[in-house]
Amino acid sequence: MLRCILIVLLFCSVFTTNAQTYTLFNNPVEKSEIDGLSEALYFSLDKPALQPVMKSTRSDLILHLPFFNNTELVLQLREQNIFAPDFAVYEKTATNTRTPVDYTPGKYFRGHIQGDPQSIVTVSVFPHEINGIIRYKDRIYNFGKHGLQMARDMVLFRTTDAKVDQGFECIELFANEGPKSPWKGGSTIEKTGT
């Protein structure tokens, strides 16, 4: 038992000593401005602050995220390689033509909320955008860029608070297999790697 505790403590100290801390968000305000969303937290993304995240060679990061009731979540994250070596993205249009799509990957992380090892967090970081999904206290939250014309360009909301259909569905296709789920729209993303 003592060995197990020491290993956990060692892992936690290694994570925090090698992790870089980032505060990318500011000006949080709780309200609902999106039709069909009963409660939301809006905040601003400091886009220039994303560049050090993109350029960092460290695999661990700590991210401070605004949360409801004037609190914040401290996300402890580790970078993940989510693509197979032969990963490619293709667009398949209504005329059934398949053309490669120029895709520049971002950086992808998973982890948990500091102090809650039962939580699950995934975050995707791109040069001008960040988004993520959080499972915390048996609730699921999404955060990312919204399409409204307002000063605060980011939104965090609980998925059960979304009261309208978002107008799209996605599928994944594997080589030599059919669709895994329904999809609506004008193009298809196909995974050819393993």
Side-chain angles (χ1 to χ4, degrees), residues 28-92:
V29 173
E30 282 184 56
K31 56 184 171 179
S32 183
E33 292 189 9
I34 297 177
D35 288 338
L37 193 57
S38 60
E39 181 182 19
L41 180 71
Y42 295 90
F43 45 94
S44 299
L45 172 63
D46 182 0
K47 290 180 184 174
L50 284 175
Q51 299 316 305
V53 177
M54 293 299 297
K55 292 177 182 176
S56 176
T57 58
R58 294 185 182 183
S59 61
D60 295 334
L61 81 95
I62 296 172
L63 182 63
H64 292 261
L65 179 72
F67 199 64
F68 295 99
N69 300 317
N70 293 318
T71 62
E72 81 172 6
L73 301 178
V74 178
L75 311 180
Q76 293 183 316
L77 304 167
R78 176 158 287 149
E79 188 172 3
Q80 304 296 308
N81 180 5
I82 65 170
F83 297 115
D86 58 346
F87 175 81
V89 178
Y90 295 89
E91 182 177 29
K92 189 174 183 180

Side-chain angles (χ1 to χ4, degrees), residues 2 28 36 38 53 57 59 66 72 74 87 89-90 98 101 109 111 118 123 158 170 177 192:
L2 183 57
S38 60
V53 177
T57 58
S59 61
E72 81 172 6
V74 178
F87 175 81
V89 178
Y90 295 89
R98 184 178 153 200
V101 173
F109 299 88
Q118 300 301 314
V123 174
R158 191 172 53 214
C170 296
E177 294 182 27
T192 59

Side-chain angles (χ1 to χ4, degrees), residues 135-147:
R135 183 179 180 278
Y136 177 53
K137 295 184 178 179
D138 293 323
R139 294 188 170 127
I140 299 174
Y141 299 87
N142 288 337
F143 73 91
K145 183 178 174 181
H146 61 72

